[in-house]
Amino acid sequence: MARRRHKKKTHIGAHNEPPNGGVANSSASRAPKSMVIRVGAGEVGSSVSQLVKDVRSMMKPGTASRLKERKSNRLRDYTTMAGPLGVSHLLLFSRSSTGNTNLRLALTPRGPTLHFRVERYSLCKDVRKALKHPKGGGKEYLSPPLLVMNDFISPEIDSASKHSVPRHLETLTTTMFQSLFPTISPQSTALSSIRRVLLLNRELSQSAPTDREADTSPFIINLRHYVITTKTSGLSKGIRRINAAERTLKERASKKTLPNLGNLEDVADYILDPSSAGGGFTSGSESEVETDAEIEVMDIGHKRMVGRKQSEAARETGRESQRRGTRTQKRAVRLVELGPRMTLRMTKAEEGVCGGKIMWHEYVNKTEDEVQEMEKVWETRKREKAERKRVQKENVEKKRRPRTSSEQTDDGMQEDLSAEDESYDSRGGDSNTSEVEE
């Protein structure tokens, strides 16, 4: 015999509260998480599909890197699961009937949504082919990238012009992109955890607007993705190879990076003679770097090694011994591009998740009367939605309330009467049929 079904969502005994009495999916207590989605998985094409994979790698570790879409999936499916999974942002890639690639950046669960047209893009494999010494594939993706934004807020002179983008839209776009990644505290964040840089540069139009851009100037964003590499400056290539080999041995990796010193009598020959084993100062570029790319950092290894000695000597000699033990070293910082590249042009901003009141549109401009008319329409929709929610809430509360004995008796009497009517109809119908036949 089948088990009787017990409703657990809207009736008595339902346990829908989050554990530990907390608030489910509180935006203040969770780190930002994102989902990069192909809308219409079989229709976007192979290039856009690869672009989605590259963007997922760029958004690591706070993204669903192994998400697999189906043709039957709709936007409603992703927004429904965004709450239980703690997803705060949706990046939706799609392709229009005219062949344009579009990107929608939505903040769940109540929006807003920014619409972009991907004017140009380059995949990670294309960027690697263009570089002489590409990087990537290591531990760069274990921590979120450092977000760098430039010229998102236009100057006051440009904002006062007729063809400028509204200031509130610039602020909204800045906030949306900043919320994609967790905040960084300079006092507590370790420098070693910052391995990548995500650069967003807005192009401010300097020329006069065309006929298509007569009402507003375009909002174009250039996206670049880099990995941070550092090298000790002021050292020859041979010494840097020795240091790299020492790190390789500590990590128990292959010994291919060790220099061959079998034909030399002394290590000095390897360092001073350029032709001995590929070391020495073969050119000025091997030992000298640009001065604007040099920074001074604390030598952490030296600090750990002499920390105990300094703690004992500080009691006798005071602060002077601590100053002697402090060591800094110069490092050359270089950014190597990982990809992907994208040029995004904002076309629309709207409330809600891909279905709300339009706050700004690049190509459509409405008069004040049309805006007021649209406000009335949206106010009517809000009232109707609030009324539907109120009715649904009353129905749920009615189901949650325990039924009294009189209600149960009335329900039992109604069930008995309905059963008697059915039996009477079945018996009476047969007798009437037989009488008619006779």
Side-chain angles (χ1 to χ4, degrees):
M1 184 176 179
R3 295 181 59 184
R4 185 177 179 181
R5 179 189 174 191
H6 296 279
K7 295 184 178 181
K8 300 180 180 180
K9 292 184 178 180
T10 59
H11 287 68
I12 301 173
H15 300 283
N16 298 324
E17 293 79 9
N20 301 328
V23 180
N25 298 326
S26 176
S27 59
S29 60
R30 63 177 182 176
K33 297 180 181 179
S34 60
M35 293 175 63
V36 186
I37 304 167
R38 295 177 301 165
V39 179
E43 302 174 358
V44 295
S46 58
S47 298
V48 179
S49 299
Q50 185 63 38
L51 177 63
V52 171
K53 293 181 181 179
D54 295 342
V55 174
R56 287 175 182 171
S57 300
M58 181 184 67
M59 299 296 295
K60 285 182 178 180
T63 187
S65 58
R66 298 183 180 180
L67 178 66
K68 293 185 179 181
E69 308 90 342
R70 297 180 180 178
K71 294 183 180 180
S72 59
N73 290 137
R74 296 294 181 264
L75 179 62
R76 183 71 176 179
D77 303 332
Y78 300 108
T79 55
T80 302
M81 294 304 300
L85 296 178
V87 177
S88 58
H89 294 79
L90 297 179
L91 285 83
L92 309 170
F93 284 88
S94 61
R95 173 170 289 182
S96 62
S97 58
T98 58
N100 294 327
T101 304
N102 300 318
L103 168 63
R104 288 175 287 176
L105 175 60
L107 182 65
T108 58
R110 297 180 179 86
T113 304
L114 302 179
H115 294 248
F116 298 93
R117 186 174 72 246
V118 184
E119 294 189 339
R120 296 181 298 273
Y121 67 89
S122 299
L123 303 177
C124 291
K125 60 180 182 180
D126 300 328
V127 175
R128 285 195 295 268
K129 289 180 181 179
L131 297 176
K132 186 177 180 180
H133 301 288
K135 300 291 183 179
K139 299 180 181 180
E140 295 85 7
Y141 299 101
L142 297 179
S143 58
L146 176 66
L147 182 63
V148 179
M149 306 175 69
N150 183 39
D151 286 339
F152 267 66
I153 303 298
S154 59
E156 296 181 358
I157 299 177
D158 297 340
S159 62
S161 63
K162 177 182 177 182
H163 306 288
S164 62
V165 179
R167 179 58 62 91
H168 69 275
L169 178 63
E170 297 176 342
T171 306
L172 175 64
T173 308
T174 304
T175 306
M176 288 280 289
F177 279 104
Q178 285 178 347
S179 61
L180 279 173
F181 304 100
T183 58
I184 296 177
S185 176
Q187 291 79 15
S188 59
T189 303
L191 291 178
S192 59
S193 63
I194 303 176
R195 301 174 181 269
R196 293 180 292 142
V197 174
L198 180 60
L199 175 62
L200 298 176
N201 180 39
R202 178 190 172 189
E203 293 183 2
L204 295 177
S205 59
Q206 302 295 337
S207 60
T210 60
D211 295 338
R212 188 179 181 183
E213 303 168 355
D215 295 322
T216 179
S217 59
F219 195 102
I220 300 177
I221 300 174
N222 292 322
L223 184 145
R224 298 291 186 271
H225 185 214
Y226 301 95
V227 62
I228 303 175
T229 60
T230 59
K231 291 183 179 180
T232 305
S233 61
L235 299 179
S236 64
K237 185 177 179 180
I239 297 179
R240 289 201 302 266
R241 288 181 61 186
I242 293 177
N243 293 337
E246 182 181 1
R247 290 195 301 268
T248 304
L249 290 176
K250 289 182 179 179
E251 296 175 359
R252 297 180 181 179
S254 62
K255 300 181 180 180
K256 295 181 180 180
T257 57
L258 284 173
N260 186 10
L261 305 179
N263 299 327
L264 303 179
E265 297 181 357
D266 193 358
V267 180
D269 298 336
Y270 168 71
I271 296 176
L272 299 176
D273 188 6
S275 61
S276 57
F281 292 95
T282 58
S283 64
S285 60
E286 291 185 358
S287 60
E288 298 178 0
V289 295
E290 298 179 0
T291 56
D292 57 352
E294 290 185 357
I295 60 172
E296 291 186 357
V297 297
M298 182 78 67
D299 191 351
I300 301 177
H302 177 77
K303 183 179 178 181
R304 291 178 179 175
M305 182 175 60
V306 301
R308 296 179 181 178
K309 296 180 180 179
Q310 286 185 355
S311 60
E312 296 177 357
R315 300 174 183 175
E316 301 177 359
T317 60
R319 299 179 181 178
E320 188 174 353
S321 62
Q322 295 181 355
R323 296 195 191 100
R324 295 174 183 173
T326 304
R327 176 189 291 183
T328 59
Q329 58 179 347
K330 288 186 177 181
R331 286 188 171 271
V333 180
R334 180 178 298 177
L335 298 180
V336 180
E337 189 170 1
L338 291 175
R341 296 181 183 179
M342 284 192 293
T343 301
L344 307 175
R345 178 167 183 161
M346 184 184 295
T347 57
K348 185 171 62 173
E350 62 179 348
E351 297 179 355
V353 180
C354 303
K357 182 175 64 175
I358 297 177
M359 298 183 291
W360 177 83
H361 203 289
E362 184 180 8
Y363 306 124
V364 179
N365 294 319
K366 295 182 178 295
T367 61
E368 295 183 358
D369 297 337
E370 293 175 344
V371 172
Q372 292 178 0
E373 188 67 23
M374 289 299 298
E375 290 289 344
K376 293 179 182 179
V377 172
W378 282 105
E379 288 295 333
T380 304
R381 292 182 182 179
K382 287 182 179 180
R383 287 195 298 267
E384 293 176 355
K385 185 177 181 179
E387 181 65 20
R388 290 195 301 269
K389 285 188 175 182
R390 186 187 63 81
V391 174
Q392 292 175 358
K393 186 176 180 180
E394 290 180 356
N395 294 336
V396 171
E397 294 295 334
K398 184 178 180 181
K399 292 179 180 180
R400 287 181 180 274
R401 287 198 305 266
R403 296 194 302 176
T404 60
S405 57
S406 59
E407 292 178 353
Q408 295 178 359
T409 305
D410 295 341
D411 293 344
M413 293 176 63
Q414 290 179 1
E415 292 177 358
D416 295 340
L417 291 174
S418 61
E420 291 178 359
D421 293 340
E422 291 177 359
S423 61
Y424 176 77
D425 292 340
S426 60
R427 288 185 283 102
D430 296 341
S431 60
N432 292 336
T433 306
S434 60
E435 290 177 359
V436 172
E437 291 177 354
E438 291 177 355

